[in-house]
Amino acid sequence: DGNVTSRWSTKAKQTPGQWFQVELPEEQEVAGLALDCQGATGDYPRKYLIELSTDGSSWTKVNEGEGKSPLIEIVFSSPQRARFVRITQKSTTPSNDWAIFEMVLFKK
């Protein structure tokens, strides 16, 4: 939303299986994304899975990795067509929620 003071949050400690999904206005080439969690420096995903879909039903895994800081930049090995982007939390933290203040998609 372009406002770094607003955020999405799980409002619960990080556990595997939590997910965040966006639907784009139309299908497009997506080359990667950035997750900005700097407003709550401990609330970034320690492990994540990125999946893309053109229809919201069948998903393609495009990246799996580890978050090492509150600003995570992920570049896919090649751009992919997508209308839906889903990020799934794959880690557990005993004291941190998962929050996203901004998400930026990299387009081809």
Side-chain angles (χ1 to χ4, degrees):
D1 68 357
N3 179 353
V4 295
T5 62
S6 66
R7 74 179 191 165
W8 169 87
S9 173
T10 56
K11 295 187 173 118
K13 304 306 173 219
Q14 292 182 32
T15 57
Q18 295 169 328
W19 54 274
F20 176 82
Q21 178 177 310
V22 295
E23 180 179 357
L24 305 173
E26 60 190 25
E27 192 175 303
Q28 55 191 274
E29 293 280 325
V30 179
L33 59 92
L35 292 178
D36 183 350
C37 308
Q38 295 178 97
T41 57
D43 292 354
Y44 63 92
R46 298 334 190 252
K47 293 183 182 180
Y48 56 82
L49 169 66
I50 310 293
E51 296 172 291
L52 301 177
S53 175
T54 56
D55 62 9
S57 330
S58 67
W59 295 88
T60 301
K61 175 178 137 179
V62 292
N63 189 281
E64 194 166 6
E66 293 186 26
K68 300 193 186 277
S69 73
L71 181 58
I72 301 169
E73 293 184 2
I74 303 156
V75 178
F76 305 152
S77 58
S78 63
Q80 305 286 323
R81 300 250 352 127
R83 180 155 186 195
F84 299 86
V85 178
R86 183 166 60 198
I87 305 158
T88 302
Q89 170 68 254
K90 295 191 70 180
S91 60
T92 302
T93 59
S95 59
N96 293 94
D97 295 359
W98 176 25
I100 300 171
F101 284 76
E102 288 294 317
M103 182 176 90
V104 177
L105 294 180
F106 305 145
K107 297 188 217 174
K108 178 180 172 187

